[in-house]
Amino acid sequence: GIESMRAGRCRVAFTCFKLAADRGYSKAQFNVGLCYEHGRGTEKDLEKAGFYYCQAASSHHPMAQYRYARYLLQHSPGSLWDRHHKAVALLEQAARAGITEAQAYLGVFYMRGLQPQEKRGLKYLLHAANSGDAQSRYHVGLCYEQGLGVQKNLAEALRHYRQSAAAGNRQARERLQA
């Protein structure tokens, strides 16, 4: 499946992934989810993408946990509280497994939530920033500039903004100019 996808034969890749996914292979389930989410080799279908992400997430596939959590928060029907609770648990698992996207998402989530948990948010932003995520590095700079989860420290804020800008983050460059 992967070789077919790389060669641009998306339909063949989807068929291969689907066969393996239906046999319980979590990596294939994740790939089928991606195919459905992006319409590669099949029609775009977010509900089916969510189903396959859920299957792979239940087998502890970290990136599937992240994708399924995003699906729950953005597309899934049902009780908002239940979806929210499950999504956060999945994001936490994916973040602990080292998925930078999950760390960054949780960092911002905890900073901006209805009941902000700034220290917790900063912890995840730092993990993502230390994994090379320039946007998270920018958010860490904001935390130091505004005293969110840490004591205000403009020198530290500038250091993070510079690192983020050097990695290509436009917002950090603008913040440095301001």
Side-chain angles (χ1 to χ4, degrees):
I2 291 174
E3 290 301 319
S4 294
M5 190 62 79
R6 285 186 184 139
R9 298 189 326 265
C10 297
R11 272 237 189 263
V12 173
F14 173 75
T15 301
C16 292
F17 292 147
K18 184 91 167 58
L19 287 169
D22 291 343
R23 288 182 172 82
Y25 186 51
S26 66
K27 290 179 182 179
Q29 291 166 337
F30 173 72
N31 286 327
V32 169
L34 285 173
C35 288
Y36 276 123
E37 181 179 0
H38 300 290
R40 291 190 194 129
T42 188
E43 291 293 315
K44 189 173 184 175
D45 187 326
L46 293 179
E47 193 171 317
K48 287 181 181 176
F51 172 81
Y52 281 97
Y53 287 149
C54 178
Q55 296 292 305
S58 68
S59 296
H60 307 288
H61 187 288
M63 189 54 106
Q65 291 169 329
Y66 167 71
R67 293 281 190 163
Y68 186 52
R70 296 284 307 266
Y71 170 79
L72 288 172
L73 291 171
Q74 297 171 358
H75 305 291
S76 180
S79 161
L80 179 61
W81 173 254
D82 290 341
R83 289 185 294 128
H84 180 271
H85 184 70
K86 183 170 181 134
V88 170
L90 287 166
L91 287 167
E92 293 271 358
Q93 289 173 28
R96 280 193 301 276
I99 302 299
T100 302
E101 294 90 334
Q103 295 165 343
Y105 193 94
L106 277 172
V108 172
F109 176 83
Y110 283 127
M111 287 291 180
R112 295 184 179 164
L114 294 174
Q115 298 174 332
Q117 299 176 41
E118 294 168 352
K119 287 184 181 193
R120 195 173 200 177
L122 179 60
K123 176 185 90 167
Y124 283 112
L125 288 172
L126 281 168
H127 283 305
N130 291 335
S131 294
D133 185 56
Q135 184 67 22
S136 293
R137 181 71 63 195
Y138 165 75
H139 284 291
V140 170
L142 285 175
C143 290
Y144 277 99
E145 182 180 354
Q146 298 171 7
L148 301 172
V150 291
Q151 191 154 4
K152 276 187 182 184
N153 184 330
L154 293 181
E156 191 66 10
L158 286 172
R159 184 176 76 82
H160 288 285
Y161 288 147
R162 284 187 193 106
Q163 288 178 0
S164 180
N169 185 281
R170 179 186 50 79
Q171 290 174 298
R173 282 195 303 270
E174 291 170 1
R175 198 80 183 155
L176 286 167
Q177 290 173 352

